[in-house]
Amino acid sequence: MSHVILAALLWAVTAWRAPSLRHSPKQRALAAAFAALAIAMTAEIPRVSDAVDHLTGKPGTAYLIKHLTGAIAASAVLDFVTAVTRPEGTLHRTRRVTRYVAWTVMVLTFLLAPDADARQEYLEGNDQSAFAVAHVATFTLYILVSMAVATVLFLYAGVKSPRGWTRTGMVLLGAGCAIGIAYSVERLYYITLAALHPMTDSTRQFHTTLSDDLKFVAIVVIAAGSCLPPISVAVEGVRAWKNWRALAPGWTALSSAVPHVRLDQSPPRHHVTQRLRRRQGEFEDAILAVRAYCPPMVQQVAAATLPEPVLADAAWLLVAAQRAQQPGAVAAPAPHPSLAILADELTVQHLCRLSHALDDPRVKDFAAALS
């Protein structure tokens, strides 16, 4: 059942990452890694492996597919982290030659080994065959080397990444690959024991369970680490959408008084971050435009009348916006110095608070009293 759950998880991640196949090579590499892992884990499901062996007529074919796709996944993960940390590439030719040699050796040793007993694990049924042992050892060594290099590069990327979701994702990916190293070492130890002398059923079961647990944990941690950066993008998108909505009252109140600050063409609806930046920029421009219509006395009265600075700022800005819309309104030749400083210090968070304050009944009452 655990194989089914893990395979389902990997297929879900693969489907989620499928659109990234159209993006950069590093994103395609990561998508390919999860697709290969999904195939590998699916091949481990007993019913699937039995069906594959029956279809091909050669016992153990599913085992070969699992190893080949597992090696392809390790290679793709290494390509991904290399693209992240070394865009110009690192030992590209060496990596390419190594992977092709390893895959070829795996296929040849599998074909030269005797047919495995379908009732047993591949290595258990062929532990006396040098070709079968070489097949498993080649796969395990390739995984060990790939995971070792990937661990170093992922942790390096985590150290160099800015704090936040990306750094956490890189550290998790490095931790998952480190667990992959532990899995490879355990499998090599098991292969050595199996080749040297017969093992009891309890010993075989212990090592099989341990290696399966390490493999499952490594895959889950790698999947979690790879999902964090895209999730962070979604979280940032939701935050941008909330801020865009929060700016609406203030943006409407001020830009209506000075409509020339609004640009003609808006970004597409799905470009939420761009829409937020556009609204933020227009809100700031509206503040800069209407502040010149506010006499300094109004600002002083607002500060003395309203309890919070943000309410006072909203009050005199609303008064200024109303005066800017009056016929024959004339801007002051130079804005009040404190107003210029305020406009230079605005942030998205402050603009959101200011926007909320502009919709406050106390602010509207103050502006109505001075209109």
Side-chain angles (χ1 to χ4, degrees):
M1 182 61 68
S2 58
H3 292 84
V4 176
I5 295 174
L6 190 55
L9 170 66
L10 288 169
W11 281 117
V13 176
T14 300
W16 180 44
R17 285 201 162 271
S20 65
L21 291 172
R22 304 191 305 267
H23 300 159
S24 61
K26 65 180 180 181
Q27 294 300 327
R28 285 196 292 272
L30 194 57
F34 281 107
L37 278 176
I39 296 173
M41 291 310 304
T42 302
E44 282 202 40
I45 300 174
R47 290 186 177 180
V48 174
S49 61
D50 292 343
V52 171
D53 292 349
H54 178 74
L55 182 65
T56 60
K58 181 174 178 57
T61 303
Y63 198 81
L64 175 63
I65 293 174
K66 180 189 74 171
H67 275 181
L68 280 177
T69 51
I72 291 172
S75 175
V77 169
L78 192 55
D79 287 344
F80 168 76
V81 68
T82 302
V84 170
T85 58
R86 300 285 194 275
E88 70 280 2
T90 301
L91 300 176
H92 177 71
R93 180 175 298 179
T94 301
R95 288 188 288 115
R96 183 173 58 184
V97 171
T98 301
R99 74 180 60 162
Y100 291 146
V101 169
W103 299 348
T104 302
V105 171
M106 287 166 57
V107 172
L108 291 178
T109 52
F110 175 83
L111 294 176
L112 292 173
D115 289 344
D117 188 341
R119 296 168 297 178
Q120 293 181 297
E121 290 289 339
Y122 180 80
L123 188 60
E124 294 176 4
N126 293 277
D127 55 3
Q128 300 304 313
S129 169
F131 290 114
V133 173
H135 169 81
V136 180
T138 301
F139 164 76
T140 309
L141 283 171
Y142 184 79
I143 297 296
L144 174 61
V145 174
S146 299
M147 292 297 98
V149 176
T151 298
V152 174
L153 293 179
F154 274 127
L155 295 180
Y156 172 81
V159 171
K160 295 296 183 181
S161 298
R163 294 184 182 275
W165 293 72
T166 301
R167 170 175 287 192
T168 304
M170 289 299 170
V171 171
L172 279 177
L173 285 166
C177 291
I179 298 171
I181 295 175
Y183 160 80
S184 303
V185 172
E186 157 60 24
R187 290 301 294 171
L188 287 174
Y189 178 67
Y190 173 72
I191 294 169
T192 304
L193 287 180
L196 292 178
H197 55 76
M199 287 189 294
T200 63
D201 291 341
S202 60
T203 303
R204 289 182 184 274
Q205 184 62 37
F206 169 78
H207 286 286
T208 300
T209 302
L210 178 59
S211 61
D212 282 347
D213 290 344
L214 289 172
K215 175 175 60 181
F216 293 163
V217 173
I219 292 175
V220 169
V221 173
I222 289 174
S226 71
C227 291
L228 281 184
I231 290 175
S232 70
V233 173
V235 171
E236 289 298 327
V238 172
R239 184 180 294 123
W241 179 80
K242 289 183 177 180
N243 288 334
W244 180 81
R245 291 286 302 271
L247 292 179
W251 171 81
T252 301
L254 298 190
S255 65
S256 297
V258 283
H260 64 275
V261 302
R262 297 183 182 180
L263 300 179
D264 295 333
Q265 189 173 2
S266 298
R269 289 185 176 274
H270 60 281
H271 291 172
V272 183
T273 303
Q274 293 183 20
R275 290 171 68 85
L276 171 63
R277 290 174 180 170
R278 171 69 62 81
R279 178 163 288 183
Q280 178 185 354
E282 292 176 351
F283 195 1
E284 292 174 348
D285 290 344
I287 292 173
L288 293 172
V290 304
R291 68 181 183 174
Y293 294 91
C294 179
M297 182 63 68
V298 175
Q299 184 194 24
Q300 296 171 7
V301 173
T305 304
L306 296 168
E308 300 177 23
V310 67
L311 292 176
D313 290 340
W316 63 257
L317 280 172
L318 191 57
V319 171
Q322 291 175 352
R323 295 192 176 194
Q325 297 179 78
Q326 295 175 359
V330 178
H336 192 282
S338 64
L339 305 186
I341 293 173
L342 173 67
D344 292 338
E345 294 178 349
L346 293 178
T347 62
V348 175
Q349 290 74 23
H350 186 82
L351 283 173
C352 288
R353 292 193 296 270
L354 190 61
S355 175
H356 180 72
L358 281 163
D359 205 33
D360 191 286
R362 292 169 292 181
V363 170
K364 291 182 177 179
D365 291 342
F366 179 89
L370 296 182
S371 61

